Amino acid sequence: MSTETNPVPATESFTLRYQQPSDFHQDAVELFTHLERDAVQFAGKVKQPIAFREGLATLFAVVSSDYRYVPKDRAAYTAFMQMRRSSQNQGLAKAYRAYFDWLLRNDPQAWLILDPIISVHPDGLLLEVFSKDEGCYAALALDNAFFETQGQTQFGTTHIDFSQELAQGIEQIRSFRDTHFTVGKDAVNFKTETAPALPDTEVIEKRIQVPHTWIRGLLQVQSASQLPSDTFFLKPIDLYNALRHLRLHADIKGKKRGLRIELVPNQPPRLVLEPKDVVIEGSAEPYQGKQAKVIRLWGRRRLSLLKRFLPFAETIEVQVLGNGMPSFWILSGAGMSLTLAVTGFTASNWSQALNFDLLLPRRTETLKELKTVVAALQKTYVATLEDLAADTQLSEQVCRTALQQASQQGLVIYDLAHDVYRYRPLTQEPLDMAHFQFRHSAEKLAYDLVARQKAIRPLQLNVIPLEGTEIAADITVKEDKRDYLAKLKLTEEGQISKASCSCHQIMTHGLSQGACSHLIALRITYAQQQANRNLSIITHETRLLTRRHKQQQEQIQVTLNQKRLLISRELNQQNKQQQFAFNSVQEARHAYLGKIAQLELSGFIEG
């Protein structure tokens, strides 16, 4: 497609400047904040040192995690070791500066993440991190009761210096020694007088090139926390059993590696580990939803990042958005909570990322209500939806819409653990949202094609029972003066298992350079059609429903085929089939929908 478009910058430049590197010295954790952001200050004595240590260690595990495949490269390691030897006697601050300068010159893609974000609010502290593979986000909330506050507290949001050396120092925290915690541009109390630090008074500067996709992923995960979801509860021992099984049993190449969650009303939730369908029965309260369902998640190995915090959790609340969509795991303990959001895909998984994009609202216009709501929240830093509606004299629906948009702009965050909204600007200056509206130029062209009249011909759908749906359509691009034939095959979970297009990009490079605008336009059109699907006009459809009897499954496949209704039941490896013929398609459709409703009431779940 040869439409003229303005190139969109691929990265956002951030320069983070700190007076000193954050340090752990004399049982004091000192976090130095960004010099060019508003001043934030906090100091206090930690009441639960071990829980504090494990919470910070979990954050470091998340921010340093990267599940993308990286081939071994000894040349980069050799160059790094040479740099390290040449700067080992320069003192702590100069060594840090030499390291970041070396990264910028030799491997600018190695440090793609921003330092953690810390917010000091009237009710406590919130620390946030996001992995550079866009796979998981974590937020550690520490209530005021977690500390014995000392000195003056200044509310606000900023970045903090967080490094491998600091993480190693935090490991020295012990329960039999008092631990102090300070946040500020300068050391609030307990100033360090270490020999390596004394000669170094230069400001530490990190120049980071962060991809727009990373920032967009962070904003999207935080925005997704406000979407409708299915909620259930687990006990820590339930999650421990799942993690223990994953630790003792390696994944089998070529086999399914998902985590299935079976939710049946008034029954405890069940975790099913593929491919051997190992069932872990939940021991918490029963699921309170009205409809039985099964939800399949990916990225289950990322849950192992919670292992160090798990002993301090008293309850676990899980919120799931759907098959392959982000899931939120909220671990709550005494005076603290940890929220882990698992997206289920890495930055390179374009098909799952596209499914995630389609889930979120795409309102980009400026709402006057947005400024009103954000201004009200800025005064109090923390507020519930009801309080904001009362303060602004707006309805809760209008406030929720404004907060959703403010979250996508990096101004507001929704705290799932406390059910409150927080004023938390991601950067000092507002982000240019034109850079984050679309993931890349192909996506922008795809939405342009969808908006055009008659650019996409009627979709050709072929439903394959137990496999998925094949979608095809001719797409007319007037700039190229030709039609393109785009084809997709979606699995039952919404994943794209096969894709092809007659355009030059796909014919030459395949999917190695990502999807073309025609494939993305086809997927968007199908999603819009499914969202507006009218059950009263369907003539062909197949659904699979399952009911579990301990370790055995009873499966029923119900198929509508014009005037015929086919029911196939499988239990104990025995298959029974029934077929009904009706005088009209309407009668067959009515019987088909009635049978599905009857099965769901008797405990069957679709999937």
Side-chain angles (χ1 to χ4, degrees):
M1 186 171 178
S2 58
T3 307
E4 292 293 332
T5 57
N6 295 325
V8 178
T11 60
E12 189 84 12
S13 296
F14 288 95
T15 301
L16 303 178
R17 303 175 71 247
Y18 303 100
Q19 189 66 45
Q20 293 185 39
S22 296
D23 191 19
F24 175 80
H25 178 67
Q26 296 181 349
D27 296 323
V29 178
E30 295 183 314
L31 301 182
F32 285 87
T33 62
H34 187 16
L35 293 175
E36 297 180 358
R37 293 202 63 166
D38 294 337
V40 175
Q41 188 169 306
F42 178 84
K45 177 183 174 182
V46 180
K47 294 182 179 179
Q48 303 179 51
I50 302 303
F52 180 68
R53 180 190 70 190
E54 299 306 297
L56 292 181
T58 301
L59 284 186
F60 186 78
V62 172
V63 76
S64 59
S65 65
D66 190 349
Y67 284 79
R68 293 173 294 187
Y69 172 73
V70 179
K72 292 183 179 180
D73 185 2
R74 299 292 298 181
Y77 177 74
T78 303
F80 166 72
M81 291 303 295
Q82 291 177 354
M83 181 278 302
R84 186 175 181 179
R85 285 192 293 269
S86 65
S87 60
Q88 62 183 355
N89 296 321
Q90 294 181 4
L92 184 61
K94 289 182 179 179
Y96 266 60
R97 186 171 185 176
Y99 171 67
F100 291 119
D101 288 342
W102 177 87
L103 275 182
L104 189 64
R105 293 192 309 269
N106 296 275
D107 192 3
Q109 299 297 317
W111 189 270
L112 298 179
I113 59 175
L114 287 175
D115 281 329
I117 309 162
I118 186 169
S119 299
V120 179
H121 285 166
D123 61 339
L125 279 70
L126 183 72
L127 294 94
E128 305 170 69
V129 295
F130 189 51
S131 65
K132 63 181 179 181
D133 66 352
E134 302 178 23
C136 47
Y137 159 87
L140 176 65
L142 304 173
D143 299 340
N144 285 332
F146 196 79
F147 303 97
E148 292 179 9
T149 307
Q150 301 170 349
Q152 184 180 2
T153 299
Q154 192 166 354
F155 303 137
T157 298
T158 185
H159 290 96
I160 55 172
D161 177 57
F162 205 65
S163 62
Q164 178 71 41
E165 288 75 11
L166 176 63
Q168 292 174 354
I170 290 173
E171 296 294 340
Q172 302 174 29
I173 294 177
R174 296 294 183 268
S175 60
F176 54 84
R177 297 197 296 260
D178 291 340
T179 300
H180 298 273
F181 178 62
T182 67
V183 178
K185 291 184 178 181
D186 301 313
V188 181
N189 290 313
F190 327 112
K191 291 189 176 182
T192 60
E193 297 288 339
T194 58
L198 278 174
D200 302 313
T201 57
E202 299 182 26
V203 171
I204 298 172
E205 189 173 280
K206 300 180 184 179
R207 288 165 290 174
I208 303 173
Q209 299 290 332
V210 182
H212 284 161
T213 56
W214 186 91
I215 301 177
R216 187 171 185 267
L218 172 60
L219 299 177
Q220 283 189 316
V221 169
Q222 295 170 345
S223 179
S225 64
Q226 305 173 47
L227 296 176
S229 60
D230 292 295
T231 302
F232 62 93
F233 293 88
L234 297 172
K235 286 188 176 180
I237 189 63
D238 303 331
L239 182 57
Y240 169 81
N241 289 333
L243 297 180
R244 179 180 181 275
H245 184 274
L246 293 177
R247 179 172 58 86
L248 297 178
H249 299 83
D251 293 335
I252 303 175
K253 188 176 181 179
K255 298 292 185 179
K256 292 183 177 181
R257 290 178 285 182
L259 170 65
R260 291 207 315 273
I261 300 173
E262 297 182 354
L263 302 175
V264 180
N266 301 319
Q267 293 185 19
R270 289 188 288 265
L271 305 180
V272 183
L273 303 175
E274 297 176 343
K276 296 184 178 180
D277 287 353
V278 177
V279 180
I280 298 176
E281 296 282 351
S283 55
E285 62 183 79
Y287 173 59
Q288 300 299 319
K290 298 181 180 179
Q291 182 180 6
K293 58 184 63 179
V294 58
I295 297 174
R296 189 164 178 254
L297 305 176
W298 289 270
R300 63 185 186 182
R301 289 282 174 184
R302 291 186 173 93
L303 295 177
S304 62
L305 298 170
L306 298 171
K307 61 185 179 184
R308 295 189 60 169
F309 192 84
L310 196 57
F312 303 94
E314 299 174 357
T315 61
I316 300 178
E317 178 183 351
V318 186
Q319 298 186 15
V320 290
L321 302 181
N323 284 324
M325 292 295 104
S327 57
F328 297 87
W329 303 72
I330 307 162
L331 284 67
S332 300
M336 61 190 304
S337 62
L338 178 70
T339 302
L340 179 72
V342 181
T343 64
F345 57 87
T346 59
S348 58
N349 191 333
W350 67 270
S351 63
Q352 283 301 107
L354 181 58
N355 290 347
F356 187 19
D357 293 344
L358 296 174
L359 187 69
L360 294 170
R362 279 191 165 271
R363 301 188 64 176
T364 57
E365 69 276 10
T366 302
L367 297 175
K368 65 177 182 179
E369 293 87 355
L370 183 146
K371 296 182 179 179
T372 303
V373 173
V374 172
L377 188 59
Q378 189 174 1
K379 295 177 181 178
T380 60
Y381 291 99
V382 184
T384 63
L385 180 63
E386 294 77 10
D387 292 339
L388 285 173
D391 291 344
T392 59
Q393 300 298 313
L394 299 172
S395 67
E396 291 189 5
Q397 181 61 40
V398 173
C399 282
R400 186 181 287 108
T401 302
L403 289 166
Q404 177 83 40
Q405 187 175 355
S407 179
Q408 288 183 316
Q409 294 183 12
L411 300 174
V412 171
I413 182 176
Y414 177 57
D415 186 352
L416 284 167
H418 298 87
D419 192 22
V420 295
Y421 289 90
R422 299 182 182 274
Y423 176 69
R424 198 275 290 129
L426 181 62
T427 56
Q428 183 71 12
E429 299 297 329
L431 294 169
D432 184 2
M433 297 311 298
H435 295 164
F436 308 105
Q437 183 179 3
F438 302 102
R439 191 173 294 271
H440 41 66
S441 57
E443 184 177 321
K444 183 177 181 180
L445 294 174
Y447 276 92
D448 178 62
L449 286 172
V450 173
R452 296 182 184 182
Q453 290 289 338
K454 299 181 180 179
I456 302 177
R457 308 282 177 81
L459 301 185
Q460 303 172 18
L461 304 179
N462 180 24
V463 179
I464 305 175
L466 305 182
E467 290 189 22
T469 304
E470 291 182 343
I471 313 164
D474 290 319
I475 300 177
T476 302
V477 182
K478 63 181 181 180
E479 291 83 358
D480 297 347
K481 298 181 179 179
R482 61 166 295 185
D483 295 345
Y484 297 98
L485 177 60
K487 294 182 179 180
L488 289 174
K489 183 177 180 181
L490 297 180
T491 64
E492 293 181 336
E493 291 87 10
Q495 282 186 306
I496 297 176
S497 60
K498 187 177 180 181
S500 64
C501 183
S502 60
C503 68
H504 179 266
Q505 175 186 332
I506 301 300
M507 296 291 288
T508 305
H509 304 286
L511 294 172
S512 61
Q513 297 184 357
C516 64
S517 58
H518 317 110
L519 289 173
I520 298 175
L522 181 64
R523 181 67 181 89
I524 295 171
T525 304
Y526 176 73
Q528 292 177 348
Q529 180 175 307
Q530 289 297 106
N532 299 321
R533 189 173 65 133
N534 188 356
L535 293 177
S536 63
I537 61 174
I538 60 173
T539 58
H540 295 81
E541 190 175 78
T542 297
R543 293 195 192 181
L544 180 66
L545 297 100
T546 305
R547 182 170 61 183
R548 185 176 297 280
H549 298 277
K550 295 183 179 181
Q551 295 295 326
Q552 294 183 347
Q553 287 188 359
E554 178 183 4
Q555 293 185 340
I556 296 182
Q557 179 179 318
V558 186
T559 301
L560 172 65
N561 185 8
Q562 295 286 354
K563 299 180 182 180
R564 295 181 179 274
L565 176 64
L566 293 86
I567 302 175
S568 177
R569 184 187 300 265
E570 182 178 344
L571 180 63
N572 297 330
Q573 298 182 347
Q574 295 182 355
N575 196 325
K576 297 181 180 179
Q577 294 186 350
Q578 292 178 293
Q579 180 172 296
F580 302 92
F582 297 87
N583 295 326
S584 66
V585 176
Q586 184 177 359
E587 292 179 358
R589 185 189 306 117
H590 180 74
Y592 168 74
L593 298 175
K595 183 64 177 179
I596 292 174
Q598 177 187 356
L599 292 173
E600 289 179 343
L601 287 175
S602 60
F604 281 86
I605 51 181
E606 187 175 351

